Amino acid sequence: MRLTRLVAVAAAATLATTLGGIGIAVAGDGRDKSGTQLGVDEIGYSRTVQHLSNTPPVGSFAGSTGSDIAFQDHYAFAGNYNGFVIYDISNPKRPRTVAQVSCPGSQNDVTVNGNLLYLSTDSSRSDDSCSSTTASATEKSSWEGIKIFDIKNKSAPRYLKAVETKCGSHTHSLLPGKGKNKGNDYLYVSSYSPNATFPDCQPPHDIISIVEVPTKNPAASRVVATPNLFPDGGNPGGTGPTGAGYSATTGCHDITVYPKKDLAAGACMGDGIIMDVKDPKAPTVIERVSDTENFAFWHSATFNNDATKVVFTDELGGGGAATCNTTVGPTRGANAIYDLSKRNKLTFKSYYKIPRNQFDTENCVAHNGSLVPVKGRDVMVQSWYQGGTSVWDFTDSENPKEIGYFERGPISKTTLVGGGTWSSYYYNGFVYSNDLVKGFDVLKLKDTSLKPAESVHLDQLNPQSQPVYRTR
């Protein structure tokens, strides 16, 4: 494989404005305003959330799509369809751009561990370099998969290795090896939508790809297994009782691993699954559920802290549709909360969707989030694209409720224009959000009942590799 040496370019200027909960381009104070009360680009927020800063994209990243985020020490690693950005977040009111690495290829889902950064490529490219161009998936020579970088020097990441995976890598989840596998990272690569005309993405595609990375010798990284998670072919897809379509299972969209429990929760298009990952190279499906009435596309999953619950998300409309309105209603394009028994059986309890209708010109649906670590409670922050960031409590599985929010008004009131926040994650006292268009936002939770979460400190967070929070 031909690898290209990268030059990480520090941004010429970092615009990080301390906003005190008001924000940029706001017509008046948006406190307690939301949804269809907001004007174009107006910021709305609850009394329990403060907007500290926004760092807009610059250079080639301006106009490109922001995606997922990972964290290590006082750095945030923000994905973008054109590469990734490393921010110094030691002062959350003024994040500083340390490096901006150009490496085009959607979605550029990102994780970090030690001195290594992993990047997903889920668009067919002319080769595995960071100067590649778009290419047809019908060409055998085209490439997509995992890219590996050395980030020991945060201001100058180095591209080390590429690993091609079947159907590319839409997302990946990092499972650090332990015991006899210690010293290896395992990447569970999710991809889907095979096509008979694609040489490297043939149907049926009921697998995930597992990439083994020897952390002391990343050049030896390779695919070590492609386990078939759905020997029966998975959910065949179709039309449910409400007339709504639901996806057939042809792979997984996202997997969240819980290393301490040797468990993983998979959101696999038409199915939600629980896996035993004690042997990282041979995960076993031990529970499987579907929802043909309300779920269109099983997108992602989050455990609560003691792994007695799982929140699955439904990305109805693929993230590009207006689903936060009265037409779609509260149970579609939503979260589904399941209790998880000691025998790893899932029991559906309720749906949660933001209680704020959005304009029909705003793409809005359940998307990526993480826990706020508060002892005795199950609290989560979560992105909803142009529905903004929601802070919500699911301690009572049957009666979830929103306790805070931050959002921007529509990009347009006349035409549906895609935007909004892709990921919202809680990390060491603050919420960090990566917007598809507006850049990198930092929020502070002002709800006094969430104050204990600020005492929980992590050295690293990959949200789809859930830690055990030592709550107080």
Side-chain angles (χ1 to χ4, degrees), residues 322-347:
T323 74
C324 297
N325 51 33
T326 55
T327 302
V328 174
T331 61
R332 298 178 59 221
N335 298 328
I337 303 162
Y338 285 79
D339 283 356
L340 183 64
S341 73
K342 291 182 179 179
R343 295 186 177 182
N344 296 313
K345 297 301 179 183
L346 291 166
T347 303

Side-chain angles (χ1 to χ4, degrees), residues 130-200:
C130 281
S131 58
S132 67
T133 57
T134 57
S136 173
T138 60
E139 298 294 328
K140 177 64 178 174
S141 59
S142 297
W143 183 92
E144 48 189 327
I146 292 288
K147 294 169 181 169
I148 304 173
F149 296 79
D150 183 326
I151 55 168
K152 184 176 183 179
N153 182 348
K154 301 295 187 292
S155 63
R158 293 187 300 116
Y159 186 5
L160 299 177
K161 171 73 174 179
V163 180
E164 188 170 18
T165 55
K166 292 182 179 180
C167 297
S169 176
H170 194 70
T171 65
H172 71 272
S173 305
L174 172 63
L175 179 62
K178 54 186 177 180
K180 66 179 182 180
N181 296 305
K182 191 173 183 179
N184 294 326
D185 284 344
Y186 293 91
L187 307 182
Y188 282 18
V189 175
S190 295
S191 56
Y192 56 93
S193 294
N195 189 304
T197 67
F198 299 166
D200 297 318

Side-chain angles (χ1 to χ4, degrees), residues 221-427:
S221 301
R222 62 192 179 98
V223 175
V224 292
T226 54
N228 185 347
L229 303 183
F230 302 98
D232 66 351
N235 192 325
T239 302
T242 63
Y246 58 92
S247 295
T249 298
T250 59
C252 291
H253 179 279
D254 211 335
I255 294 169
T256 293
V257 296
Y258 202 136
K260 184 69 174 180
K261 301 279 189 177
D262 290 326
L263 290 175
C268 302
M269 303 182 71
D271 294 281
I273 61 174
I274 300 295
M275 292 186 286
D276 181 325
V277 295
K278 190 171 185 178
D279 181 348
K281 290 181 280 189
T284 303
V285 176
I286 55 177
E287 174 67 326
R288 176 175 154 191
V289 292
S290 61
D291 181 349
T292 59
E293 183 170 347
N294 284 298
F295 257 46
F297 188 91
W298 294 69
H299 173 275
S300 53
T302 303
F303 292 95
N304 69 339
N305 198 38
D306 59 5
T308 59
K309 301 175 186 178
V310 181
V311 175
F312 288 102
T313 69
D314 171 24
E315 196 183 37
L316 172 67
T323 74
C324 297
N325 51 33
T326 55
T327 302
V328 174
T331 61
R332 298 178 59 221
N335 298 328
I337 303 162
Y338 285 79
D339 283 356
L340 183 64
S341 73
K342 291 182 179 179
R343 295 186 177 182
N344 296 313
K345 297 301 179 183
L346 291 166
T347 303
F348 171 77
K349 305 304 287 187
S350 68
Y351 297 104
Y352 170 77
K353 192 171 183 179
I354 56 172
R356 297 170 279 113
N357 286 332
Q358 306 295 310
F359 288 101
D360 290 340
T361 60
E362 293 181 283
N363 58 311
C364 175
V365 76
H367 214 236
N368 294 355
S370 73
L371 299 182
V372 180
V374 181
K375 187 174 183 179
R377 295 174 64 188
D378 299 318
V379 180
M380 187 171 172
V381 296
Q382 185 181 3
S383 284
W384 290 77
Y385 289 108
Q386 287 191 72
T389 295
S390 176
V391 187
W392 62 287
D393 188 313
F394 61 105
T395 307
D396 181 347
S397 301
E398 295 182 340
N399 294 287
K401 59 183 180 181
E402 185 171 70
I403 56 179
Y405 65 87
F406 168 84
E407 65 167 305
R408 290 182 170 89
I411 296 173
S412 168
K413 281 192 175 181
T414 58
T415 305
L416 197 155
V417 180
T421 176
W422 179 291
S423 301
S424 296
Y425 298 132
Y426 186 91
Y427 179 69

Side-chain angles (χ1 to χ4, degrees), residues 29-34 37 44-47 405:
D29 188 342
R31 191 172 72 176
D32 296 330
K33 293 176 67 176
S34 66
Q37 299 171 328
Y45 60 99
S46 66
R47 297 165 186 259
Y405 65 87

